[in-house]
Amino acid sequence: MKNKHMDAAQDAQRRSLLKLGLASGLSVGGLLSGCGGDSAGAAGNSAVTPPPNTQISSFALAVLPDTQFYSRYATSSESNQYERHYGNEPYAAQTNWVARNAQALNIPFLIHLGDVVDQVGKPEQWKVADSAMQVLEAAKVPYSILAGNHDVLNDIDYDSDPTKGTDTQRVLANEPYLQWFSARRAQRQATFGARDDTGFHEYHIFKAQDQQFLVLSLSWRISDAGIAWARKVLADHPTLPAILVNHQLLNIAPDAVSPLETGYGKMLWEKLIRDNDQIFMTLNGHHHGGARLTKTNNFGNAVEEMVVDYQMAYQGGNGLMRLYEFDLTNKQIKVLSFSPWVPMKPADTLNAFDRAVLTESNHSFTISMDFAKRFARFNPTFGVGKATVASSLIDQAKALVLKGYTEPAVAEPVLPKDTDDYPKVASTVAHWRFYGGSDGAAVPPGTRINDVTGANPLVRDQLNQGGIVGAAAGDVVWSNDHHRLSSAPGSVGFLNTDKNAPRLSYFLTDASAAINAQTFAATGYTIEAFIKINPAWDKAKHAWMNIMTRDGKRGNLAGFDGGDPESPPLLFAISSLREVQWEVVPAVSGQRDAMASWSGEIIAGNWVHIAIVNDPVTHDTIMYVEGAPVLRNSSNVVGLASLSASSPWVVGGGSWDGARADGFFGNIGEVRVAAAALPATQWLTARRS
């Protein structure tokens, strides 16, 4: 029996071929003979074999991971960083791309994974998000949205306290999310089903390729009442395949690739997912990077869990988003991670981090799924639908993104040839290289680390000074381990650090060292360090650990009126989220506060090179991690304040309220301080001329 849909597709193809033939001067007879007409054809022409019918039944879902930094750094209070540097903004670029291509790429729906903004109490950030999402509304592209932890006033994590911070414990009238993305606004979507009583959770039903799908979108920290609502939604639509969307569900292991289950995700699995066969797929953001986990539910069917979040990548995510193609014909889900914003950037701003398409296996992959078989228990009539799509939508999308765009060449870094293979710069104030002892041997207290300039050596302080308890000689050891681009053949390892003990060890300059008094206000500066966080890093023991600092309490600086007056005037540290913190009080007169730059998450166990560059003209400070400038930088920061000419620099430790604290846990390679804004060609990762 003939397939009438196939016949219709073939008829359409014949019409297209006829048009092509007439337009190009080809004989109509020659084309017709290839389509089952007179096999003799025109004189001198052989029969033409038609191309096979390769059309497929397929549709694509657009997915926006955490947009929080796009909302934040497009505001005037954050110096309109995107507009200022690139002339456009990533959030708007994402939604405009979807609006323009929704019809061509058969995109019936978009899913937002939460963390719409970064700071819930800043209306300016909500305005950015509001404007970007209005693009979809104007184009009649329906979407689901949810509140992430940054979008609610009380963002207690489930693992911290599973009983507090849920949707039912909020004062709903005070929540900005419900004011900007209300139920009334959600009702504008043609796909909208309903919201729960709190207004935080919603569901949608979209149609694609003659089939209906349900999207269940749940905001941060759902309560048992919310789960009961979600279960009723599923029960009320028992034949619909469901995609469960949360802000948090699946995490990513320290290797940055493998999936890692969370307590919250396990709770949702037990209370909502495992006995609801309709849920065949989950999506979440929150955890930085990408990973996938396949679990088996109570019915022996696969549930595909996926996490994606690019906020800690270059430029707060660099506009990266995802497209999920549901190829019903070929029984697979194809995933593309791409940035519609990168090709829009001015050519002179592009660097090796501006990748428009990601190709790594955790960002670009295919999931085999026999949809009819997977859905057979609750929807035995699920079909493939009409084959109306010319070719893979992922391939089409990739071609659209890359059209006219050439990704910048990635220069392969040159490894050092010897221990002296790095650029020497005349502006060097201090350069400490931590090597010289046997691998694993203790660095005895009192050991001096030479400064390459000869002016500012470091010394390992004696044990248990300034309130430290339990420190031992073996808490600092020599190591042959080092960053591959560091010409110094080793490092020092800081072991057994525990802020609760408090136990730590560190190095510091002499009280008479010349560097103690320097503020770099006129010259600017470049500070570099090679570090590796110990894989056993524990937030409870090691949060806010210091790579380097200057001693003293910043509250004692003249004119200081900021927070944490007990902190030192310089913090080069690792936060509770394993971000690099560069926070300094500028060397200016009058009223002043600390100014900060922040990296994304640093993966424990990986060596990274950090460079902090302060321009002496603009006084902008830019942090670079592995050569990539981070998004969260500070402007108009003049120099580095010092309490006195006898206040030492400290490597491997810090202080709080005058007592030694916040010791480093991991390895520190070499550290260099230069009184100039050095280009990358003069960093320690470059090679000598």
Side-chain angles (χ1 to χ4, degrees), residues 204-420:
H204 293 254
I205 297 173
F206 70 86
K207 187 174 183 179
Q209 301 308 101
D210 302 320
Q211 301 297 334
Q212 287 187 319
F213 292 82
L214 186 146
V215 174
L216 193 53
S217 193
L218 309 180
S219 286
W220 180 256
R221 291 301 310 279
I222 194 167
S223 61
D224 285 344
I227 290 175
W229 173 85
R231 293 184 68 89
K232 187 175 187 306
V233 169
L234 293 167
D236 289 346
H237 303 89
T239 64
L240 299 189
I243 299 170
L244 181 66
V245 187
N246 288 268
H247 183 59
Q248 183 195 30
L249 194 153
L250 185 65
N251 196 356
I252 306 165
D255 65 7
V257 175
S258 302
L260 181 67
E261 292 197 83
T262 66
Y264 190 67
K266 290 177 180 177
M267 179 274 291
L268 288 171
W269 176 261
E270 294 298 329
K271 292 186 175 183
L272 179 61
I273 303 171
R274 69 179 303 156
D275 66 341
N276 275 297
D277 198 25
Q278 293 168 252
I279 301 174
F280 70 98
M281 173 177 166
T282 74
L283 295 172
N284 70 274
H286 188 61
H287 299 289
H288 313 144
R292 169 192 160 207
L293 175 66
T294 303
K295 299 190 73 173
T296 302
N297 67 15
N298 287 0
F299 308 93
N301 287 324
V303 179
E304 301 293 343
E305 297 185 348
M306 283 163 278
V307 52
V308 56
D309 172 15
Y310 296 114
Q311 64 172 289
M312 290 305 182
Y314 176 55
Q315 291 298 308
N318 219 20
L320 287 164
M321 57 182 292
R322 274 194 177 173
L323 207 62
Y324 284 78
E325 178 182 5
F326 290 72
D327 183 342
L328 304 181
T329 299
N330 294 302
K331 302 176 182 178
Q332 56 188 13
I333 300 173
K334 299 173 71 175
V335 181
L336 175 69
S337 297
F338 69 102
S339 171
W341 183 55
V342 164
M344 295 172 58
K345 290 183 176 183
D348 61 356
T349 68
L350 298 174
N351 58 43
F353 299 95
D354 283 309
R355 298 172 59 203
V357 173
L358 301 186
T359 57
E360 293 85 353
S361 61
N362 59 322
H363 298 299
S364 177
F365 53 90
T366 298
I367 302 170
S368 296
M369 183 173 291
D370 186 330
F371 297 95
K373 183 178 180 182
R374 171 62 180 84
F375 306 153
R377 200 193 64 80
F378 59 87
N379 187 345
T381 63
F382 187 92
V384 172
K386 296 178 182 179
T388 57
V389 177
S391 61
S392 166
L393 296 170
I394 289 294
D395 293 343
Q396 292 184 52
K398 192 183 302 182
L400 281 171
V401 171
L402 294 175
K403 185 179 180 180
Y405 178 72
T406 302
E407 294 197 327
V410 179
E412 190 63 31
V414 179
L415 301 182
K417 293 182 284 293
D418 53 49
T419 60
D420 198 43

Side-chain angles (χ1 to χ4, degrees), residues 432 434 456-461 468 494 504-510 513 515-516 527 529 545-552 568-573 582 646-656 658-664 668 671 673:
W432 302 299
F434 297 92
N456 302 289
L458 290 173
V459 62
R460 181 181 176 190
D461 202 6
I468 298 172
F494 296 84
L504 68 143
S505 292
Y506 54 91
F507 296 83
L508 73 172
T509 57
D510 295 334
I515 193 175
N516 297 344
I527 293 177
M545 64 185 191
N546 274 251
I547 301 166
M548 184 169 71
T549 188
R550 304 182 84 161
D551 261 351
L570 182 158
L571 286 166
F572 188 9
W582 174 260
S646 61
S647 297
W649 289 62
V650 184
V651 174
S655 63
W656 176 261
R660 194 63 63 200
D662 298 322
F664 192 78
I668 296 179
V671 177
V673 180

Side-chain angles (χ1 to χ4, degrees), residues 51-85:
N53 181 13
T54 58
Q55 288 183 306
I56 58 176
S57 177
S58 188
F59 68 92
L61 297 182
V63 174
L64 289 185
D66 308 41
T67 54
Q68 61 193 75
F69 291 148
Y70 306 150
S71 296
R72 177 173 177 174
Y73 292 99
T75 62
S76 59
S77 59
E78 297 286 355
S79 304
N80 298 107
Q81 290 197 36
Y82 293 120
E83 185 70 33
R84 188 157 56 95
H85 292 299

